[in-house]
Amino acid sequence: MAKTAISSKRLSDQLPNQVLIDWLRSMQLIREFESRTMQAYQQAKIGGFCHVYTGQEACAVGTLACVNDDDPVVLAYRDHGHALARKMTPEACMAEMFGKTTGCAKGKGGSMHMFDRPHWLFGGHGIVGAQTPLGTGLAFAAKYEREVLGQGLDGSEAKKKVSLCYLGDGALNQGAFHEAQNLAGLFSLPVIYIVENNGYSMGTAIQRGTTMPDDLCLKAAGYGIDAIQIDGMDIRNLYDHFKPFADACRAEQKPGFVDLKTYRYQGHSLSDPQKYRTKDEVDQWKERDSIAALLHHLMTERACVSEEDWKNMTGDIRQQVREAVDLADKAPDPDVATELYSDVYANPQKGLSPSCDYNHGLKNPLL
Amino acid sequence: MPELIETPIHPAAGPWDLPEFVSEDQLPSRQGDRVIQYREALREAMAEEMRRDKRVYLIGEEVAQYNGAYKISQGMLEEFGPKRIIDSPISESGFAGMSIAAAMYGLRPIVEFMSWSFSLVAADPILNNAAKMLYMSGGQWGCPIVFRGNDGAGGQLGSTHSWCVEGLFANVPGMKMVIPSCPYDAKGLLKTAIRDPDPVFFLESERMLGDRAHVPAEEYYIPFGQAAKLREGDACTLVSFGRPVNFCLEAARRLAEDGIECDVLDMRTIRPLDIESIAASVQRTGRVVVVDQSWPFGSVASEVMAQVCEHCFDWLDAPPARVNTADVPTPYAKGLEQAYLPNPDRIVAAVENIVQG
Ligand SMILES: Cc1ncc(C[n+]2csc(CCOP(=O)(O)OP(=O)(O)O)c2C)c(N)n1
Ligand SMILES: [Mg+2]
């Protein structure tokens, strides 16, 4: 691959090619993964509610690229993309949706509840807004660790951390979020609320759901929280702006709020007829597709990815995701005898239930 | 294929230091002259555990500078400082949710609700997050947290402030529920709650905070799921938990004057429920009255009666009976409120009814 020397003040331009190529791979992995998710859903291999991330890939990949591997992260229910961007294996993620014992939550969580402890992923959360006090709490705990314990809980050196809490624009209207922001502002907790503003909560366009829809930062100002609006379709731009913002929240141990403009290409869930928006609108956003934009940059301005490289990359990813689907398909269903009544209590005791004695089941495959 | 978990405590809880439990007769004596209030017993439990473990913190409304709305945490700010005794704004959903994540992360929060009545605005975090986290994460994250506060009516506070949440919340698997009836148990059970790796809902009573009794200065831990037998008799079993245990004792004293001797069982914890002790007693007495300070429909009393029927059907000489609060919103007027609550008169009447048939 050709090397390039770009002189620019843009932060992202100072990153080595390989970093951006990894972003491209990560975004493409999510896109491919989600198209296989939709397929598997149509084939009824995935049940329940299923919300895909197609179109928003740059948001998860770009923001997570700005923090450390041991910064805590918590998500809403549209969570497959973040899980993959955070390096959960596609097998564990797909198997979870297939309800298999090899899934990240052994098939007990489902599409909306992706947890990955080794990667500091504190779950996808199905109740709109419920993850926002949790995001505040992760920041609280990290700060407590440093200030009260004087060291990490595992005995490691204390670090300044920042927690990332993702939410949709619909969650802006949920009471829990306002309490979460107030506490974060009041206690100066290092949490960044990342509003993935895709313009809709189900069928409700943002201007029908919230005040000041064009300048959500005003809402955060109400809690004394620094806020920025960022175009979330252009990952380089996202990095340019989010990286210094996240660094400041970490350094100063204070909260932040990001209005990240994005768009979902698919329906709200896989059972949404999408009567509330026009095909034209969808097409206009697709013209600004984040993967296409980054690919273009890497092929032309940086000239570090060739057509051939891209073909190989997409081929590899297709293969990787196909294998994940195959593995999920072939993996065993949870065994009712060990799994139904396990993981309910960490300390199961006699008399907790009239219908059963709780037990411990299988070790989580990620641990 | 992953292996089965072999340890008694789930590995998600990390290396866990449960206290050593001793049998009831090895616990320090209930008799003595170190007489303190129920609220002081609670404070002592929290302070002892906070001295032992820096991961434990207390958060709630007015817990720090005000010294506690009910003076339970009096003096704790001075000893532990504002980073561990934390005044929260009136934001139950916020500080409960925040502390749930802190518990997942590895801290050991104690969350004080000024009253369990106010926990209803935090129902989503305490029921959906705390109670289900271990399960939904497939055993990756537990939630070692204590929620505690006043539960129950009795101070003419009217409908909104008089909640008994035991019936409502005990329905949810994943949490444990503790409800001490006296200062001695308040200390020993709260210490166990703080050490337990599961979410514990700890129900106190504003009506009892000033109750005084001997509480040992030493540390002791009362295990969950073990009822205390407070009185013995063959005529009928009285089963209760929390404040009405005291009404049962009063009723039993009066009944004894008429020659009706009752077993009185203080369940101490609702989940786990010591059905074995209840069954052993009912299989001897053949009769049971369950006294519960929450509404009857779908209550803990209903659950106890159902389990009694499952375990003791052949031994019963009369249908199980229950004394609950009246099945209406809590009234304000003194007389109405008194008629609403379980009280010794109603318990005596219920026992006489099934004993005399
Ligand atoms: C408390 C609550 N109310 C309603 C729902 C049903 N619901 C699930 S997602 C959703 C829309 C949320 O939209 P948004 O927050 O913008 O996220 P997006 O789907 O755009 O990612 C609704 C109404 C829910 N899960 N939780
Ligand atoms: Mg949205």
Side-chain angles (χ1 to χ4, degrees):
Chain A
M1 293 193 184
K3 75 171 175 38
T4 43
I6 298 172
S7 73
S8 156
K9 288 212 181 62
R10 288 187 67 162
L11 209 52
S12 56
D13 282 347
Q14 289 154 29
L15 294 169
N17 291 339
Q18 193 54 49
V19 172
L20 277 72
I21 293 170
D22 289 346
W23 292 352
L24 183 68
R25 172 178 284 278
S26 185
M27 292 200 289
Q28 179 61 23
L29 172 65
I30 296 170
R31 178 122 348 147
E32 178 69 22
F33 183 93
E34 293 294 51
S35 61
R36 298 299 306 246
T37 300
M38 289 186 274
Q39 224 174 50
Y41 192 84
Q42 302 309 343
Q43 295 166 347
K45 294 196 185 260
I46 298 175
F49 290 144
C50 191
H51 315 84
V52 298
Y53 198 55
T54 314
Q56 300 183 206
E57 295 88 347
C59 297
V61 175
T63 49
L64 287 167
C66 299
V67 297
N68 300 331
D69 291 345
D70 59 358
D71 284 323
V73 174
V74 69
L75 310 168
Y77 52 87
R78 194 180 296 284
D79 57 355
H80 320 155
H82 309 76
L84 295 176
R86 193 65 173 179
K87 303 281 184 296
M88 182 188 286
T89 63
E91 296 89 87
C93 193
M94 191 60 81
E96 185 56 36
M97 290 193 271
F98 277 49
K100 296 299 181 73
T101 189
T102 50
C104 66
K106 301 194 289 179
K108 292 176 172 183
S111 159
M112 299 188 282
H113 309 115
M114 296 289 173
F115 290 81
D116 187 342
R117 183 168 178 148
H119 292 110
W120 293 81
L121 190 62
F122 287 76
H125 293 272
I127 298 297
V128 170
Q131 77 282 18
T132 58
L134 300 183
T136 306
L138 296 172
F140 171 86
K143 197 170 172 182
Y144 188 100
E145 203 178 23
R146 209 169 62 84
E147 294 185 351
V148 177
L149 305 182
Q151 59 174 27
L153 279 156
D154 58 1
S156 60
E157 204 183 318
K159 289 185 198 163
K160 282 188 174 176
K161 292 193 176 189
V162 62
S163 97
L164 298 189
C165 175
Y166 293 83
L167 56 144
D169 47 291
L172 289 166
N173 312 313
Q174 192 55 280
F177 181 42
H178 294 268
E179 297 195 20
Q181 288 181 94
N182 185 57
L183 290 175
L186 187 71
F187 297 152
S188 190
L189 301 175
V191 50
I192 305 178
Y193 304 105
I194 299 171
V195 181
E196 295 190 61
N197 180 0
N198 58 17
Y200 293 93
S201 53
M202 261 178 100
T204 303
I206 185 164
Q207 63 274 14
R208 294 203 299 125
T210 206
T211 57
M212 308 176 289
D214 298 322
D215 192 358
L216 301 179
C217 295
L218 292 171
K219 292 177 184 273
Y223 299 104
I225 296 180
D226 291 341
I228 49 171
Q229 191 176 73
I230 306 179
D231 173 9
M233 295 304 279
D234 175 353
I235 192 168
R236 293 188 301 134
N237 168 74
L238 204 172
Y239 184 87
D240 294 341
H241 293 93
F242 187 71
K243 177 67 175 152
F245 187 79
D247 287 349
C249 291
R250 181 193 308 280
E252 295 166 43
Q253 294 285 288
K254 65 175 187 187
F257 173 106
V258 183
D259 176 8
L260 197 50
K261 298 276 197 199
T262 184
Y263 201 75
R264 65 167 155 74
Y265 295 172
Q266 300 296 326
H268 164 70
S269 69
L270 295 179
S271 54
D272 172 8
Q274 302 182 65
K275 297 252 168 65
Y276 50 84
R277 63 182 188 183
T278 62
K279 187 165 175 305
D280 266 5
E281 182 185 297
V282 180
D283 289 344
Q284 273 173 29
W285 279 90
K286 282 187 177 169
E287 273 170 29
R288 303 193 47 234
D289 183 60
S290 60
I291 296 179
L294 180 60
L295 181 62
H296 179 77
H297 172 69
L298 294 177
M299 281 183 164
T300 57
E301 284 140 25
R302 290 215 184 208
C304 63
V305 172
S306 65
E307 286 287 353
E308 174 82 16
D309 294 335
W310 176 236
K311 223 178 105 200
N312 288 340
M313 187 191 283
T314 51
D316 286 353
I317 289 171
R318 199 171 307 124
Q319 183 57 27
Q320 188 189 1
V321 175
R322 192 177 299 135
E323 277 166 20
V325 173
D326 277 354
L327 283 172
D329 212 12
K330 293 198 191 102
D333 288 325
D335 173 19
V336 173
T338 63
E339 292 307 304
L340 184 60
Y341 280 109
S342 64
D343 304 314
V344 181
Y345 291 95
N347 176 20
Q349 300 174 283
K350 240 180 12 181
L352 280 168
S353 166
S355 55
C356 63
D357 277 333
Y358 295 104
N359 57 333
H360 293 322
L362 295 177
K363 285 186 183 141
N364 186 289
L366 302 187
L367 299 181
Chain B
M1 198 58 191
E3 308 133 51
L4 282 170
I5 294 168
E6 304 284 0
T7 50
I9 303 293
H10 198 294
W16 201 261
D17 55 339
L18 278 184
E20 294 273 325
F21 292 111
V22 297
S23 61
E24 193 79 29
D25 52 0
Q26 287 174 303
L27 283 170
S29 171
R30 289 175 167 269
Q31 314 304 323
D33 52 11
R34 187 171 177 274
V35 175
I36 63 172
Q37 293 183 4
Y38 188 105
R39 59 162 59 79
E40 293 170 301
L42 294 170
R43 183 189 313 147
E44 217 163 83
M46 291 192 287
E48 286 175 9
E49 293 304 314
M50 287 186 69
R51 278 175 213 132
R52 191 187 58 81
D53 185 349
K54 273 182 137 180
R55 297 171 303 176
V56 183
Y57 69 86
L58 171 69
I59 189 167
E61 290 151 22
E62 312 293 359
V63 297
Q65 295 192 16
Y66 195 85
N67 272 315
Y70 294 94
K71 301 290 172 264
I72 292 166
S73 54
Q74 185 149 37
M76 289 180 72
L77 173 63
E78 213 175 312
E79 177 173 357
F80 298 104
K83 288 198 186 322
R84 296 183 69 198
I85 306 294
I86 305 166
D87 273 330
S88 165
I90 308 159
S91 190
E92 283 79 4
S93 174
F95 67 78
M98 183 179 105
S99 293
I100 286 163
M104 293 169 74
Y105 193 97
L107 303 183
R108 309 280 177 248
I110 305 171
V111 173
E112 176 172 311
F113 292 125
M114 200 179 270
S115 156
W116 275 96
S117 294
F118 313 144
S119 74
L120 300 187
V121 296
D124 181 57
I126 68 177
L127 302 180
N128 256 332
N129 296 335
K132 299 177 184 170
M133 200 58 78
L134 186 65
Y135 200 79
M136 289 208 331
S137 67
Q140 294 191 64
W141 265 293
C143 192
I145 191 168
V146 177
F147 300 105
R148 42 161 292 271
N150 289 317
D151 174 77
Q156 277 195 283
L157 300 177
S159 267
T160 57
H161 283 49
S162 301
W163 268 91
C164 282
V165 294
E166 41 273 46
L168 200 60
F169 290 163
N171 188 240
V172 182
M175 60 93 214
K176 296 176 178 175
M177 185 177 277
V178 180
I179 179 164
S181 68
C182 61
Y184 181 99
D185 285 1
K187 176 172 170 182
L189 288 169
L190 183 52
K191 284 174 68 69
T192 303
I194 297 168
R195 294 286 284 272
D196 194 90
D198 289 305
V200 178
F201 290 24
F202 196 91
L203 278 45
E204 300 154 11
S205 161
E206 186 261 331
R207 298 279 88 188
M208 292 195 295
L209 291 177
D211 287 4
R212 295 163 63 82
H214 170 71
V215 173
E218 64 201 275
E219 295 198 46
Y220 58 97
Y221 295 87
I222 299 178
F224 291 173
Q226 292 189 17
K229 186 182 271 188
L230 302 182
R231 207 183 154 101
E232 287 227 356
D234 289 334
C236 180
T237 302
L238 279 169
V239 175
S240 192
F241 36 88
R243 182 174 176 232
V245 167
N246 299 290
F247 307 154
C248 289
L249 288 172
E250 167 64 19
R253 268 190 293 274
R254 282 205 241 153
L255 287 160
E257 287 165 15
D258 293 332
I260 303 174
E261 294 288 353
C262 296
D263 262 8
V264 177
L265 290 181
D266 179 353
M267 301 318 298
R268 300 202 283 208
T269 64
I270 287 172
R271 234 177 146 135
L273 183 75
D274 181 6
I275 187 63
E276 283 177 16
S277 291
I278 298 175
S281 170
V282 175
Q283 289 174 8
R284 192 163 42 73
T285 64
R287 291 178 171 81
V288 63
V289 174
V290 189
V291 183
D292 174 357
Q293 60 174 350
S294 63
W295 293 308
F297 201 104
S299 63
V300 178
S302 336
E303 177 58 35
V304 171
M305 289 167 76
Q307 292 195 36
V308 163
C309 292
E310 287 163 357
H311 288 85
C312 311
F313 189 77
D314 291 335
W315 285 268
L316 287 171
D317 296 324
R322 58 182 151 175
V323 176
N324 284 84
T325 38
D327 210 2
V328 300
T330 317
Y332 164 72
K334 202 171 190 136
L336 288 178
E337 190 186 51
Q338 271 166 8
Y340 163 89
L341 290 168
N343 56 38
D345 290 345
R346 288 177 57 203
I347 298 166
V348 167
V351 172
E352 283 173 349
N353 189 40
I354 61 168
V355 169
Q356 288 150 13

